[in-house]
C-alpha cells in the first residue's frame, strides 16, 4: 500500500486495473484474464501507477481461491523496483564485459604479433588470429611440426618453472612452408592461491630482421674482405692535426711493414719516403689549403732495400658548415707502370734494332747471308751488353755440334775454331736441357749441380760466368741454338729479355735457314729430290762435258723398273717410291765413285761410265741385276730392265748411244714385264689372302659355281675364261684397305664403309694397268652393282650390269653366307638359298638366281 500512495480504504474502492498504466492494462492484464478465468496461476511482471502517477515495476502472482461457494482471485504483488535496478546494473555490467571481451579479441586478433595462452598441459586456450593463420596452431590441422611443437612445449615448461619472463628465439615452419624466426616472451599465469593457469606467450616474427642482420653481417664481411684484399691503400686523417683515423690493411703489402709498426711510430710514414721525394709532402699541405686536393708520385724504400713507386691522391673533406675536418686519400702502387715505362723505352729501342736486322737480312743476298749473321751477332751482343754471342749448329744426324758464327767483345777470346764437331753426348746434362726446354739459363756457372760436372769444367775453361742459350727447332727437330756468354761478370736475364732474345734467335734462324735453303736449292737443281741421284738436266750437261776423246770408251746403261704403275695403283705411291729409292741405292752401290748415276724420268735411270769398256760395264750391269733379284720391298720383288751401249770412237754421238741403250732396255723389258706383272699379281693375291678372307679356297669354290652357271647359260669359252679370272680378281681392290677394317667384327663406321666401297674402283685401276687383266676391268668395277640400281660405284641397273659381274655377285654372296666372315656366322645352304631368293629382283638378277637355285637343287654344287 505504501508503494502506491493510496490508503487502504481508497484501494478497496478501486478497480485493480486502475493501479496499472493504461497501456499495460490494455496489453498485459487483459491478455492474461482468460488464464485467470480458467483457474490457472499466473506470474507476470507489470507496472503499477502510484497515486502521484509514478510508475514502478511489480511482480504479480495471481490464482483462484474459494471462500465457501464464492470464487475469488488472489493476487500477491511485490515491488521489484530494486530488483529491476539490480538487473539493469547487471545487464549493463555484462554488456561492458562483452564489449571489453570483443575489444580484447579485436586487439588480440589485430595485433601484428603472435599471442597465445596454453593450459598447464600445453594445450591452446587462446591463439590470436595472427599466430593462428601463420602457424595453424589452434586449428584442426596445425602446420607446426612435432619437433617444433616439442620445442615450444619445452620453452613453456621453462617459463612455468621460472619466476619471470622467458625470452627466446625460436624457428617455426609457417603455413607458407618456410622457416620463420620468432622472438618469444613467455610467462606463467597463476591464481591468487598460486595455482598455475597456464603460459602466456608473445611471438614477434623477426625473420626479416634476422635476414637483414645476416645481410648486414655479410656486407660487413664483404667490405672487410675488400679492404683486406684490395691492392690500393685507403686512408683518412684529421685536419688539422694529421691524426690517423683509418688505414686499410693493404698498406702492409705496399709498404712492406705491419700496421703495428706505423702505430708505434707515426712518423714512419714519412721516414720510408725516398729522400729525393720528401719535398713533395710539403707541397701536399699547400695544395690542400688552396685547392682542397693533391696528387703526386713518390718513391719509398722497403725493408729489403728495394724501391717502390707510389701514386697518392687526397682531398679535403668539409663539414656541414663548410669547415675542413678530414683528409681522405688513396695510394696506388705504380712500380709496375714505372718499370713498364722503362721497359717500353727499351722495347722501342729493341724494335728498332729488330727492324734494322730484318731489313738487313731481307736485302742481303743469300750467298752473303753466312757473313751477315756475324754482323747481326755483333749488334745483338752490344745491345744486351754481353761478352760473346754465337750460333751453335747441329749435324744432320744430331750427334755433333759446332760453332758456325761468333762475335766477341774486345779482349774476349773466340771459341769458334776450338769448338767444331764436338759429340753432343760429351755434355749430357746440358744436351738434355737444350733438347727439352725452350731455353737454358745458367746465372752462375759456379753453382751448377754435381751432375753437371763435365759442363762446369768446360764453361770454366772458357771463363764463362753466366750463360743463356735459346734452342731453335725446325720441323720438330733441334736445328741450332743462339748462345750468350757473360765472361767478365755474372749477368741476370729477365723473362722479358729471354722472350726478346727468342725473337732475335728466330730472325737468325730464318736467315740461316734461308742460306741453307739456297744451298739446298742449288743442290736440288742438279739432284732428284726422291732418290738423291743427279737429275736429267745435270746429266744432259755432263753428257756434253764428258763427250771427249780422252774419256773414251764411254758406256751408257739405262734402266727401268718393271710394273711400277701396277704397284702404284695396287699398293699406293708410297710403296712405289720405296721401290725407286731402293733401286737407286742398288744402282749407286753397284757403280764406282767416278760414275755418274741419274734419274732420267719417272721409273728410268741412266748411268754414265767414263773410260769403261762394254765388258767392264757388263760387270756393273750384272751386279745391278743380281742385287735387284734378291731385293723384296713390302713382299714385292724388285724387277729391273736394263739396256747397255758403248761409245768407242769420236765419230759416234753420245745421244745416239743413249737411245741405243734405251732401245735395248725396252726389248728386255718386253720379255721381262709379263713375268714381273705376274709376280706382282701373285704377291697382291698373297697379301690380300693374308689380310682378309679372300683365300684360294674361296676363289676355287666361286670358280666351280660360276663355271657351272656359265655352261648352263651357254657362255663362250672366252667368256668362261674371263669369268674364271674375274672370280679370282674381283676383290683385288681390297689390297689397299687396312686389315683391321677388312676383318672387323663390329659394324663398320661411316668412314670405314666409304673406304670399303672404293675397292671396286681400285681393282678396276689395277686391272687396267695390266695388259693381261684389262679385259675384266669393267667386270671388276661392276661386281657390287645391284639389279635395282642401288649398288655402287656407278648405280647401274638391270642388264646394264655385265652378265659376268651378275654371276660373280651371286656366287660370291652364296659362298660368303655359307662360309661366314668375322662379322657373321656361316649359314646353312638352305638359309643362304632363301637369302638369295629374298634378294632376287633387288640385289641379284632374278633369272640367274633361279638358275643358281635350280643347280643347287640338282646337287651340281
Amino acid at each position: 500500500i505504501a508503494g502506491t500512495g493510496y490508503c487502504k480504504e481508497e484501494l478497496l474502492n478501486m478497480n485493480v486495473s486502475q493501479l496499472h498504466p493504461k497501456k499495460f492494462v490494455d496489453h498485459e492484464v487483459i491478455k492474461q484474464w482468460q488464464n485467470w478465468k480458467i483457474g490457472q496461476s499466473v506470474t507476470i511482471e507489470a507496472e503499477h501507477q502510484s497515486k502521484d502517477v509514478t510508475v514502478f515495476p511489480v511482480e504479480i502472482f495471481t490464482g483462484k481461491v474459494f471462500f465457501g461457494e464464492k470464487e475469488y482471485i488472489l493476487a500477491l504483488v511485490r515491488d521489484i523496483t530494486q530488483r529491476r535496478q539490480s538487473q539493469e546494473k547487471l545487464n549493463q555490467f555484462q554488456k561492458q564485459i562483452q564489449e571489453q571481451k570483443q575489444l580484447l579479441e579485436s586487439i588480440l586478433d589485430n595485433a601484428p604479433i603472435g599471442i597465445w595462452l596454453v593450459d598447464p598441459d600445453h594445450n591452446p586456450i587462446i591463439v590470436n588470429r595472427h599466430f593462428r593463420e601463420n602457424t595453424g596452431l589452434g586449428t584442426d590441422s596445425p602446420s607446426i611440426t612435432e619437433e617444433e611443437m616439442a620445442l615450444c612445449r619445452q620453452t613453456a615448461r621453462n617459463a612455468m618453472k621460472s619466476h619471470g619472463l622467458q625470452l627466446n628465439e625460436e624457428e617455426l615452419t609457417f603455413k607458407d612452408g618456410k622457416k620463420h624466426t620468432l622472438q618469444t616472451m613467455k610467462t606463467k599465469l597463476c591464481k591468487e592461491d598460486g595455482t598455475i593457469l597456464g603460459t602466456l606467450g608473445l611471438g614477434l616474427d623477426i625473420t626479416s630482421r634476422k635476414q637483414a642482420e645476416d645481410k648486414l653481417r655479410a656486407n660487413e664481411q664483404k667490405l672487410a674482405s675488400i679492404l683486406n684484399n684490395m691492392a690500393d691503400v685507403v686512408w683518412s686523417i684529421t685536419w688539422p692535426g694529421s691524426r690517423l683515423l683509418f688505414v686499410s690493411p693493404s698498406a702492409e703489402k705496399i709498404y712492406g711493414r705491419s700496421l703495428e709498426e706505423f702505430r708505434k711510430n707515426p712518423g714512419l710514414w714519412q721516414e720510408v719516403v725516398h729522400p729525393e721525394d720528401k719535398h713533395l709532402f710539403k707541397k701536399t699541405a699547400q695544395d690542400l689549403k688552396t685547392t682542397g686536393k693533391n696528387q703526386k708520385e713518390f718513391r719509398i724504400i722497403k725493408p729489403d732495400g728495394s724501391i717502390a713507386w707510389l701514386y697518392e691522391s687526397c682531398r679535403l673533406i668539409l663539414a656541414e658548415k663548410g669547415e675542413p675536418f678530414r683528409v681522405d686519400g688513396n695510394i696506388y702502387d705504380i712500380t709496375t707502370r714505372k718499370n713498364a715505362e722503362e721497359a717500353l723505352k727499351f722495347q722501342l729501342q729493341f724494335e728498332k734494332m729488330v727492324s734494322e736486322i730484318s731489313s738487313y737480312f731481307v736485302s742481303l743476298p743469300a750467298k752473303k747471308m753466312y757473313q751477315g749473321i756475324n754482323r747481326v751477332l755483333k749488334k745483338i751482343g752490344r745491345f744486351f751488353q754481353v761478352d760473346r754471342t754465337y750460333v751453335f749448329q747441329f749435324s744432320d744426324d744430331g750427334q755433333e755440334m759446332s760453332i758456325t758464327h761468333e762475335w766477341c767483345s774486345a779482349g774476349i777470346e773466340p771459341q769458334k775454331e776450338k769448338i767444331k764437331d764436338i759429340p753432343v753426348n760429351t755434355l749430357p746434362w746440358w744436351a738434355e736441357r737444350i733438347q727439352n726446354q725452350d731455353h737454358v739459363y745458367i746465372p752462375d756457372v759456379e753453382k751448377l749441380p754435381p751432375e753437371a760436372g763435365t759442363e762446369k769444367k768446360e764453361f770454366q775453361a772458357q771463363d764463362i760466368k753466366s750463360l743463356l742459350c735459346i734452342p731453335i727447332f725446325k720441323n720438330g727437330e733441334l736445328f741450332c741454338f743462339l748462345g750468350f756468354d757473360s765472361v767478365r761478370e755474372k749477368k741476370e736475364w729477365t723473362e722479358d729479355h729471354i722472350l726478346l732474345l727468342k725473337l732475335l734467335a728466330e730472325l737468325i734462324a730464318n736467315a740461316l735457314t734461308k742460306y741453307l735453303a739456297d744451298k739446298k736449292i742449288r743442290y736440288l737443281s742438279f739432284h732428284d729430290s726422291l732418290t738423291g741421284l743427279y737429275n736429267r738436266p745435270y746429266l744432259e750437261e755432263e753428257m756434253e762435258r764428258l763427250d771427249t776423246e780422252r774419256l773414251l770408251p764411254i758406256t751408257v746403261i739405262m734402266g727401268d723398273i718393271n710394273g711400277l704403275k701396277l704397284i702404284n695403283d695396287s699398293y699406293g705411291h708410297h710403296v712405289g717410291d720405296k721401290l725407286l729409292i731402293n733401286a737407286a741405292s742398288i744402282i749407286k752401290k753397284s757403280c764406282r765413285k767416278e760414275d755418274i748415276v741419274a734419274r732420267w724420268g719417272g721409273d728410268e735411270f741412266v748411268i754414265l761410265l767414263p773410260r769403261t769398256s762394254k765388258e767392264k760395264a757388263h760387270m756393273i750391269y750384272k751386279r745391278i741385276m743380281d742385287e735387284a733379284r734378291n731385293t723384296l720391298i713390302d713382299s714385292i720383288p724388285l724387277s729391273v730392265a736394263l739396256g747397255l751401249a758403248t761409245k768407242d770412237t769420236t765419230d759416234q754421238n753420245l745421244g745416239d748411244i743413249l737411245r741405243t741403250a734405251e732401245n735395248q732396255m725396252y726389248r728386255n723389258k718386253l720379255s721381262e714385264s709379263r713375268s714381273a706383272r705376274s709376280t706382282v699379281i701373285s704377291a697382291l693375291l698373297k697379301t690380300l689372302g693374308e689380310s682378309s678372307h679372300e683365300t684360294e679356297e674361296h676363289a676355287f669354290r666361286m670358280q666351280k659355281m660360276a663355271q657351272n652357271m656359265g655352261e648352263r647359260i651357254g657362255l663362250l669359252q672366252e667368256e668362261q675364261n674371263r669369268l674364271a679370272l674375274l672370280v679370282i680378281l674381283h676383290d683385288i681392290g681390297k689390297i689397299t684397305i687396312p686389315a683391321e677394317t677388312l676383318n672387323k667384327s663390329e659394324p663398320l663406321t661411316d668412314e670405314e664403309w666409304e673406304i670399303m666401297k672404293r675397292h671396286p674402283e681400285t681393282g678396276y685401276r689395277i686391272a687396267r694397268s695390266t695388259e693381261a687383266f684389262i679385259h675384266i676391268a669393267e667386270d671388276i668395277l661392276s661386281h657390287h652393282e645391284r639389279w635395282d640400281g642401288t649398288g655402287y660405284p656407278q648405280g647401274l641397273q638391270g642388264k646394264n650390269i655385265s652378265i659376268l659381274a651378275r654371276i660373280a655377285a651371286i656366287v660370291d654372296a652364296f659362298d660368303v653366307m655359307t662360309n661366314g666372315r668375322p662379322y657373321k656366322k656361316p649359314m646353312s645352304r638352305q638359309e643362304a638359298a632363301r637369302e638369295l631368293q629374298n634378294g632376287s629382283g633387288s640385289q641379284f638378277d632374278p633369272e640367274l638366281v633361279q638358275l643358281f637355285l635350280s643347280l643347287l637343287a640338282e646337287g651340281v654344287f
Side-chain angles (χ1 to χ4, degrees):
I1 294 174
T4 62
Y6 294 100
C7 65
K8 181 177 179 182
E9 290 75 11
E10 288 176 318
L11 288 172
L12 291 174
N13 292 314
M14 291 177 64
N15 191 312
V16 173
S17 62
Q18 292 176 331
L19 292 174
H20 296 285
K22 186 177 187 308
K23 63 177 183 178
F24 187 82
V25 173
D26 291 344
H27 294 87
E28 297 296 332
V29 178
I30 296 174
K31 183 179 177 182
Q32 298 296 333
W33 179 249
Q34 294 298 326
N35 293 330
W36 294 340
K37 288 177 68 175
I38 62 176
Q40 290 183 351
S41 296
V42 177
T43 300
I44 64 171
E45 288 185 3
E47 291 178 347
H48 276 183
Q49 184 172 287
S50 64
K51 189 176 181 177
D52 59 2
V53 197
T54 299
V55 177
F56 57 94
V58 293
E59 183 181 61
I60 304 174
F61 174 78
T62 63
K64 278 185 178 183
V65 294
F66 296 89
F67 290 99
E69 295 181 356
K70 267 198 163 181
E71 185 178 73
Y72 297 91
I73 295 175
L74 176 64
L76 299 178
V77 180
R78 183 170 58 185
D79 187 344
I80 60 171
T81 300
Q82 288 185 342
R83 194 179 81 179
R84 280 280 185 94
Q85 291 174 347
S86 298
Q87 184 65 44
E88 287 177 0
K89 288 181 180 179
L90 178 62
N91 290 341
Q92 186 177 6
F93 178 70
Q94 288 177 338
K95 181 179 179 182
Q96 289 175 348
I97 290 175
Q98 183 64 28
E99 289 175 349
Q100 289 175 355
K101 181 182 177 182
Q102 291 175 350
L103 177 62
L104 178 61
E105 288 178 351
S106 177
I107 291 171
L108 289 175
D109 284 342
N110 290 286
I113 62 174
I115 304 172
W116 66 92
L117 176 66
V118 296
D119 63 19
D121 294 326
H122 316 299
N123 297 311
I125 297 173
I126 297 175
V127 180
N128 76 331
R129 183 174 60 191
H130 178 86
F131 197 59
R132 185 172 61 248
E133 289 179 351
N134 282 320
T135 66
L137 187 65
T139 65
D140 293 336
S141 301
S143 64
I144 298 177
T145 65
E146 285 296 327
E147 181 181 354
E148 293 169 337
M149 184 62 76
L151 177 62
C152 292
R153 287 170 177 159
Q154 181 60 45
T155 55
R157 281 193 289 269
N158 294 339
M160 286 184 181
K161 292 177 182 178
S162 69
H163 297 286
L165 285 175
Q166 286 285 316
L167 301 177
N168 295 289
E169 286 188 4
E170 302 176 26
E171 278 196 349
L172 295 180
T173 304
F174 280 15
K175 282 184 176 180
D176 59 8
K178 297 179 181 178
K179 288 278 188 181
H180 287 250
T181 303
L182 298 183
Q183 187 176 66
T184 62
M185 294 180 291
K186 297 180 181 179
T187 185
K188 63 183 178 182
L189 297 180
C190 302
K191 295 181 180 179
E192 291 182 0
D193 60 2
T195 304
I196 297 176
L197 296 174
T199 303
L200 176 66
L202 302 178
L204 177 63
D205 189 345
I206 60 171
T207 305
S208 298
R209 191 190 79 191
K210 292 288 288 185
Q211 291 173 346
E213 290 174 353
D214 292 342
K215 187 174 181 180
L216 178 60
R217 279 193 295 271
N219 287 336
E220 289 175 348
Q221 292 173 356
K222 185 176 181 181
L223 178 60
S225 176
I226 292 172
L227 290 174
N228 288 331
N229 293 285
M230 66 188 302
D232 307 331
V233 178
V234 178
W235 57 265
S236 182
I237 61 173
T238 60
W239 181 272
S242 300
R243 180 173 59 84
L244 185 63
L245 297 173
F246 172 79
V247 62
S248 61
S250 51
E252 294 185 341
K253 183 177 180 181
I254 288 182
Y255 280 83
R257 291 173 170 83
S258 68
L259 294 181
E260 186 61 27
E261 290 181 74
F262 288 108
R263 290 190 187 98
K264 292 180 179 178
N265 181 12
L268 186 59
W269 296 103
Q270 293 295 323
E271 292 174 11
V272 299
V273 176
H274 195 282
E276 296 179 5
D277 296 336
K278 289 183 182 294
H279 68 281
L280 297 173
F281 287 83
K282 294 180 181 179
K283 186 174 183 298
T284 300
Q286 296 173 357
D287 289 347
L288 289 173
K289 289 178 181 178
T290 55
T291 65
K293 57 184 178 180
N294 172 263
Q295 297 175 350
K296 57 183 171 292
E297 293 179 359
F298 62 97
R299 289 165 290 175
I300 63 170
I301 303 174
K302 291 191 172 185
D304 61 1
S306 62
I307 302 296
W309 276 93
L310 304 182
Y311 169 82
E312 183 180 60
S313 173
C314 58
R315 63 189 180 281
L316 197 61
I317 306 300
L318 304 180
E320 292 182 0
K321 295 181 179 180
E323 293 295 324
F325 76 101
R326 193 178 80 234
V327 178
D328 291 345
N330 298 79
I331 297 176
Y332 307 87
D333 189 334
I334 60 171
T335 306
T336 303
R337 192 195 80 192
K338 284 291 187 177
N339 291 339
E341 290 173 356
E342 290 297 320
L344 179 60
K345 181 180 178 182
F346 176 86
Q347 181 73 23
L348 292 174
Q349 294 173 343
F350 176 80
E351 289 176 359
K352 180 181 178 182
M353 180 181 67
V354 170
S355 177
E356 291 173 352
I357 291 174
S358 298
S359 300
Y360 175 70
F361 277 144
V362 168
S363 61
L364 194 66
K367 61 182 180 180
K368 294 184 178 180
M369 194 67 69
Y370 203 81
Q371 294 77 16
I373 291 175
N374 289 329
R375 292 185 60 186
V376 170
L377 288 177
K378 177 180 179 180
K379 194 176 189 69
I380 295 173
R382 288 182 171 175
F383 183 84
F384 285 99
Q385 299 177 353
V386 293
D387 299 314
R388 185 188 295 124
T389 61
Y390 48 87
V391 174
F392 249 107
Q393 194 169 335
F394 291 86
S395 58
D396 292 339
D397 59 6
Q399 300 302 309
E400 295 179 343
M401 56 184 178
S402 304
I403 292 181
T404 56
H405 303 79
E406 182 185 36
W407 170 83
C408 297
S409 64
I412 301 299
E413 182 182 0
Q415 300 293 319
K416 181 179 177 182
E417 297 304 319
K418 296 180 181 180
I419 303 178
K420 284 188 176 181
D421 301 325
I422 297 176
V424 174
N425 57 15
T426 58
L427 301 173
W429 181 89
W430 178 88
E432 179 185 358
R433 280 153 182 76
I434 200 69
Q435 181 76 6
N436 297 312
Q437 298 179 9
D438 61 355
H439 69 276
V440 177
Y441 173 37
I442 304 174
D444 188 349
V445 169
E446 297 299 325
K447 293 182 180 180
L448 281 171
E451 58 268 26
T454 304
E455 288 79 3
K456 183 175 181 179
K457 290 180 181 178
E458 180 65 29
F459 298 151
Q460 287 174 334
Q462 301 176 43
D463 295 328
I464 299 174
K465 292 183 173 59
S466 298
L467 171 69
L468 173 66
C469 295
I470 310 293
I472 303 298
F473 293 87
K474 184 171 69 174
N475 300 325
E477 297 293 331
L478 184 61
F479 167 55
C480 65
F481 67 86
L482 183 61
F484 304 88
D485 293 347
S486 183
V487 176
R488 294 186 175 90
E489 59 184 15
K490 288 183 290 187
K491 183 175 179 63
E492 292 186 4
W493 297 92
T494 66
E495 287 296 325
D496 290 338
H497 287 158
I498 292 172
L499 287 174
L500 297 177
L501 288 170
K502 287 179 181 178
L503 175 60
L504 292 172
E506 287 292 338
L507 290 176
I508 293 176
N510 290 338
L512 189 57
T513 301
K514 180 179 177 182
Y515 167 76
L516 295 176
D518 182 73
K519 185 178 179 181
K520 186 176 181 179
I521 289 171
R522 291 196 301 271
Y523 173 85
L524 291 177
S525 64
F526 295 112
H527 289 79
D528 174 55
S529 60
L530 178 65
T531 63
L533 300 178
Y534 289 115
N535 57 19
R536 182 168 181 166
Y538 178 82
L539 185 68
E540 288 175 342
E541 288 186 14
E542 288 298 287
M543 286 176 64
E544 293 182 10
R545 185 178 67 83
L546 297 176
D547 196 5
T548 62
E549 185 176 358
R550 63 184 180 83
L551 295 177
L552 294 176
I554 298 176
T555 300
V556 178
I557 298 177
M558 193 165 191
D560 183 290
I561 296 177
N562 294 317
L564 183 61
K565 186 176 186 308
L566 176 60
I567 292 168
N568 283 334
D569 290 337
S570 305
Y571 292 95
H573 284 274
H574 66 285
V575 176
D577 289 346
K578 288 172 70 174
L579 280 175
L580 287 169
I581 292 169
N582 278 270
S585 177
I586 289 171
I587 294 172
K588 185 72 175 175
K589 185 171 63 174
S590 300
C591 294
R592 303 160 303 186
K593 286 186 178 181
E594 62 271 20
D595 299 333
I596 299 172
V597 182
R599 184 179 177 190
W600 187 250
D603 55 356
E604 295 177 338
F605 299 90
V606 172
I607 308 169
L608 289 182
L609 306 171
R611 299 192 184 94
T612 305
S613 64
K614 183 177 292 187
E615 292 74 21
K616 288 182 180 181
H618 266 290
M619 295 174 63
I620 296 173
Y621 181 105
K622 188 175 183 304
R623 283 201 298 269
I624 296 172
M625 294 298 292
D626 291 344
E627 188 71 25
R629 289 191 190 98
N630 296 321
T631 302
L632 287 177
I633 310 300
D634 292 351
S635 74
I636 305 168
L638 177 61
S639 175
V640 180
L642 298 177
L644 181 150
T646 303
K647 175 180 177 178
D648 296 306
T649 61
T650 56
D651 58 341
Q652 292 175 300
N653 185 280
L654 193 54
D656 293 337
I657 298 297
L658 175 64
R659 281 186 287 275
T660 301
E662 183 178 24
N663 291 334
Q664 188 185 90
M665 177 198 71
Y666 280 123
R667 285 195 297 272
N668 292 335
K669 186 177 181 68
L670 287 173
S671 62
E672 296 172 4
S673 60
R674 186 181 300 274
S675 173
R677 283 194 297 270
S678 298
T679 303
V680 171
I681 292 296
S682 297
L684 282 172
L685 293 174
K686 181 181 179 182
T687 302
L688 183 60
E690 291 172 351
S691 62
S692 71
H693 288 260
E694 305 300 325
T695 61
E696 291 183 8
E697 292 79 5
H698 173 60
F700 176 77
R701 292 191 298 268
M702 285 182 61
Q703 272 188 325
K704 182 179 179 182
M705 291 185 286
Q707 181 182 5
N708 283 297
M709 289 186 69
E711 289 175 353
R712 187 62 63 93
I713 63 175
L715 290 181
L716 299 175
Q717 186 58 47
E718 179 184 351
E719 293 174 318
Q720 283 279 40
N721 294 339
R722 282 174 55 200
L723 182 58
L725 189 58
L726 173 63
V727 295
I728 294 173
L729 299 177
H730 69 287
D731 275 338
I732 194 69
K734 289 182 179 179
I735 190 69
T736 60
I737 299 175
E740 56 269 21
T741 301
L742 292 173
N743 298 309
K744 189 175 181 181
S745 57
E746 299 84 12
L748 298 180
T749 64
D750 292 343
E751 183 179 355
E752 290 170 337
W753 180 237
E754 288 301 318
I755 293 173
M756 184 70 78
K757 286 170 64 177
R758 289 199 289 268
H759 81 269
E761 298 172 75
T762 304
Y764 171 79
R765 289 197 301 272
I766 293 173
R768 290 283 298 176
S769 66
T770 309
E771 184 180 352
F773 307 137
I774 194 170
H775 60 300
I776 63 166
E778 290 290 342
D779 300 313
I780 291 174
L781 183 64
S782 305
H783 78 280
H784 274 294
E785 300 290 353
R786 292 171 56 102
W787 182 260
D788 60 6
T790 61
Y792 60 88
Q794 301 178 89
L796 300 179
Q797 185 177 8
K799 293 189 177 181
N800 290 325
I801 308 168
S802 73
I803 190 169
L804 301 187
R806 283 180 272 151
I807 293 172
I810 293 172
V811 299
D812 186 28
F814 183 80
D815 192 68
V816 168
M817 286 190 287
T818 54
N819 288 277
R821 284 292 186 265
Y823 50 85
K824 196 170 186 181
K825 294 180 180 179
M827 297 181 180
S828 66
R829 292 166 68 87
Q830 293 76 15
E831 289 173 324
R834 283 195 295 273
E835 288 296 319
L836 287 179
Q837 185 65 55
N838 291 337
S840 176
S842 57
Q843 183 176 356
F844 307 114
D845 182 336
E847 294 180 2
L848 291 178
V849 169
Q850 294 308 313
L851 171 63
F852 182 87
L853 295 178
S854 298
L855 293 172
L856 186 64
E858 294 172 11
V860 175
F861 42 78

